[in-house]
Amino acid sequence: MRRRTLLAAAGLAAPVGLLAGMDTALANTPDPTGSPVPLDQRLAAARASFDAGRNEQLLRTLPGLIGDGHDGVRRTRSDLAYARLSSTYSLASQVLVKVGRYDQARLTADRATVYAELSDSPLAAAAAARELSIVLRHQDQPASAERLILDAVARVEATGLKSDAQASAFAQMPCTTSYTAAVAGDRPQALSLIKEASRGARDLPDEAPVGRLFPVTPASVDLYAVSVHWALGDAGSALEAGRRLRPGQFKTAERRGRMHTDLARAWWQWGKPDQTAAELLSAARVSLSELRDRPAIRQIAAEVYGRHPRTTGVRAMAAAGLRTA
């Protein structure tokens, strides 16, 4: 695919119609779809859409999943039905945060939390708490976000960490909390927690099993470390933390794209436009949605183009059409 074709739509966010459809689904629970495909199978496909960076496809699918999830709860009132509905809302929150719709994401994360409590599943509750904490961080409530995650950590730890899935959840929580602390400017807490996460992930496999709710690996913790140091304003340490990261360490296009955009943020913070542009272009080749749908990354692309139009990497960006916020 030509670079111009690859990035021609990079300045466009998720279509307004799809976001309006989510608004409608959140205001009035959709009717069940009547799909013959089991809900678990469709949820797995929806998760695969997110992992592949197909955010538009996911936003198109979510209203039907929400309707069917509520229908399952109405019919059975089972713990599993509540856990499925919580997972659906957690996934909705993830993609809405990705496209910068934080008010909608707050609503879906709140609902994920409610239905996780009803499911009596510590892992569902941890997933919902993580999504809500991320929304709270974006809404400038880092203290509330941190309390929420620490409570989730305690609940997961109380399981005894008897399974790899529980151990993965336990390793994920300090990653999220570390980044929240870094955004809040709490350097000691951020650095302490990311070290704790590294220790927790040390015995996890390099490749998480398919379907793992928290697919934490040693490499994914290193990627969090890049973000933590960037948020603390230390671009050199961020790039050092990412020095050994490679795309092949991440199974999904979403994570590979995120690796490139996180490194681009660090390079831009350090004042290196060529390297920034190169990472942005690499991200676009892997997952265009990482540039198209994330407002903060679109802004960096616009700034690089506006301030450094003559450097080599930026000329490549301009040729690709990646120059507008």
Side-chain angles (χ1 to χ4, degrees), residues 290-305:
E290 282 300 299
L291 277 76
R292 180 193 61 199
D293 294 345
R294 293 174 61 195
I297 302 303
R298 294 203 311 273
Q299 182 62 36
I300 289 175
E303 290 175 1
V304 173
Y305 177 80

Side-chain angles (χ1 to χ4, degrees), residues 157-182:
E157 189 174 20
T159 66
L161 306 181
K162 298 174 183 176
S163 70
D164 287 345
Q166 292 167 348
S168 294
F170 190 68
Q172 175 65 64
M173 297 298 105
C175 288
T176 303
T177 314
S178 174
Y179 185 56
T180 297

Side-chain angles (χ1 to χ4, degrees), residues 16-321:
V16 173
L18 293 179
L19 295 169
M22 281 299 301
D23 278 334
T24 300
L26 296 176
N28 297 287
T29 302
D31 293 331
T33 64
S35 172
V37 181
L39 185 56
D40 283 342
Q41 186 175 331
R42 292 163 57 215
L43 278 171
R47 165 60 59 185
S49 293
F50 180 83
D51 288 341
R54 296 192 293 267
N55 295 334
E56 291 182 16
Q57 180 176 321
L58 177 55
L59 288 166
R60 192 174 291 112
T61 301
L62 276 167
L65 293 175
I66 289 170
D68 288 345
H70 277 281
D71 183 59
V73 165
R74 281 193 296 268
R75 287 187 293 101
T76 69
R77 302 290 177 182
S78 67
D79 289 350
L80 181 57
Y82 282 119
R84 286 175 178 142
L85 186 54
S86 177
S87 294
T88 302
Y89 277 118
S90 287
L91 182 57
S93 183
Q94 279 189 281
V95 71
L96 289 168
V97 165
K98 181 79 73 174
V99 302
R101 296 295 176 129
Y102 304 122
D103 289 342
Q104 287 176 309
R106 174 64 183 269
L107 181 56
T108 52
D110 281 337
R111 291 183 184 179
T113 301
V114 170
Y115 293 117
E117 292 291 336
L118 292 170
S119 78
D120 201 30
S121 166
L123 292 184
R130 176 176 182 267
E131 299 314 319
L132 182 53
S133 75
I134 290 170
V135 177
L136 290 171
R137 185 178 71 222
H138 281 286
Q139 294 182 327
D140 297 322
Q141 300 179 60
S144 296
E146 187 170 342
R147 285 194 301 270
L148 187 68
I149 284 292
L150 292 176
D151 180 62
V153 167
R155 294 179 63 179
V156 172
E157 189 174 20
T159 66
L161 306 181
K162 298 174 183 176
S163 70
D164 287 345
Q166 292 167 348
S168 294
F170 190 68
Q172 175 65 64
M173 297 298 105
C175 288
T176 303
T177 314
S178 174
Y179 185 56
T180 297
V183 170
D186 189 345
R187 177 179 292 271
Q189 177 82 327
L191 296 180
S192 173
L193 285 167
I194 199 64
K195 287 180 181 177
E196 180 182 332
S198 294
R199 289 192 295 270
R202 195 161 36 204
D203 295 328
L204 294 175
D206 290 335
E207 185 172 311
V210 175
R212 177 64 53 82
L213 186 60
F214 295 97
V216 182
T217 65
S220 70
V221 175
D222 288 342
L223 183 55
Y224 263 96
V226 173
S227 294
V228 166
H229 289 294
W230 168 82
L232 291 172
D234 188 349
S237 293
L239 293 167
E240 177 62 25
R243 184 167 57 87
R244 286 187 287 273
L245 292 178
R246 300 291 181 270
Q249 294 172 302
F250 302 96
K251 291 176 61 176
T252 70
E254 188 270 340
R255 285 292 91 183
R256 291 193 295 274
R258 186 63 183 247
M259 182 197 78
H260 289 298
T261 57
D262 281 1
L263 291 171
R265 292 193 305 180
W267 283 118
W268 185 233
Q269 189 178 65
W270 208 8
K272 303 290 184 180
D274 282 326
Q275 291 90 334
T276 303
E279 291 293 351
L280 291 174
L281 287 166
S282 293
R285 295 187 192 104
V286 172
S287 176
L288 180 58
S289 63
E290 282 300 299
L291 277 76
R292 180 193 61 199
D293 294 345
R294 293 174 61 195
I297 302 303
R298 294 203 311 273
Q299 182 62 36
I300 289 175
E303 290 175 1
V304 173
Y305 177 80
R307 298 178 192 177
H308 303 277
R310 299 185 184 279
T311 57
T312 302
V314 176
R315 286 200 297 270
M317 286 175 56

